[in-house]
Amino acid sequence: MPRSGHWPPARRLTPRRDGPQPLATLPIALRAILNVPERDRLRTWMDTPGMTFVSSRILRTEVIRVLRREARPVVDATPLLERVGLIDVSRETHAVAESIERHITTLDALHLATAMLVGDPVVVASHDAAMKDVATHLGLAVVDPVET
């Protein structure tokens, strides 16, 4: 990571012709911003070459709400949000989230539904045990970059 503490912007999301594009959802994104012990480990994982990050548009709202709650400038979210391709939550996303039978919070169900609808192989990045369990049950690949 550059000394400024900011990451360079992510590459644009463009389909690859030579195979599946690696994507990751980031419901754990706040750990990359907040002063928590695992922040450096998560940032190192995010700097892995070739990674492209996506999440539902809800991520932006979640991050900004937490920054406001913590009385931090909203601009603190910019380095992270510039790296993540945000996908609007559609009626289809809601329908998929509503079809998830296992218990999961509504926002996490919407994140998982987004991952299921991306159309490319997705790795769900989460440190939450329930989310990892449900994602695995749904057939999604899971990584816990905090514990890796």
Side-chain angles (χ1 to χ4, degrees):
M1 178 175 53
R3 285 184 208 164
S4 67
H6 296 285
W7 293 296
R11 291 172 287 135
R12 293 280 180 238
L13 297 175
T14 54
R16 287 175 30 179
R17 301 280 183 230
D18 60 342
Q21 184 170 1
L23 303 169
T25 60
L26 288 179
I28 59 166
L30 286 173
R31 293 174 189 270
I33 297 172
L34 300 177
N35 189 18
V36 294
E38 57 272 7
R39 181 176 65 187
D40 290 339
R41 191 172 331 136
L42 179 59
R43 285 181 173 182
T44 299
W45 174 79
M46 289 180 71
D47 286 338
T48 302
M51 291 273 231
T52 301
F53 301 101
V54 297
S55 186
S56 71
R57 172 66 174 71
I58 294 167
L59 176 73
R60 178 181 168 80
T61 304
E62 289 176 309
V63 168
I64 289 172
R65 293 305 314 147
V66 169
L67 290 175
R68 291 194 189 284
R69 181 188 73 211
E70 300 292 320
R72 291 194 38 191
V74 173
V75 72
D76 285 358
T78 302
L80 171 75
L81 295 177
E82 285 181 345
R83 294 200 59 178
V84 179
L86 298 174
I87 300 169
D88 285 331
V89 178
S90 65
R91 286 181 185 216
E92 182 181 19
T93 309
H94 282 276
V96 171
E98 293 161 4
S99 74
I100 297 172
E101 294 181 2
R102 292 216 172 168
H103 176 70
I104 193 84
T105 68
T106 301
L107 293 177
D108 285 348
L110 288 165
H111 282 301
L112 291 175
T114 299
M116 294 169 69
L117 293 170
V118 165
D120 286 318
V122 173
V123 176
V124 176
S126 181
H127 187 58
D128 180 79
M131 186 162 190
K132 291 188 294 187
D133 179 58
V134 174
T136 300
H137 177 75
L138 294 170
L140 295 167
V142 175
V143 65
D144 185 341
V146 173
E147 293 195 8
T148 350

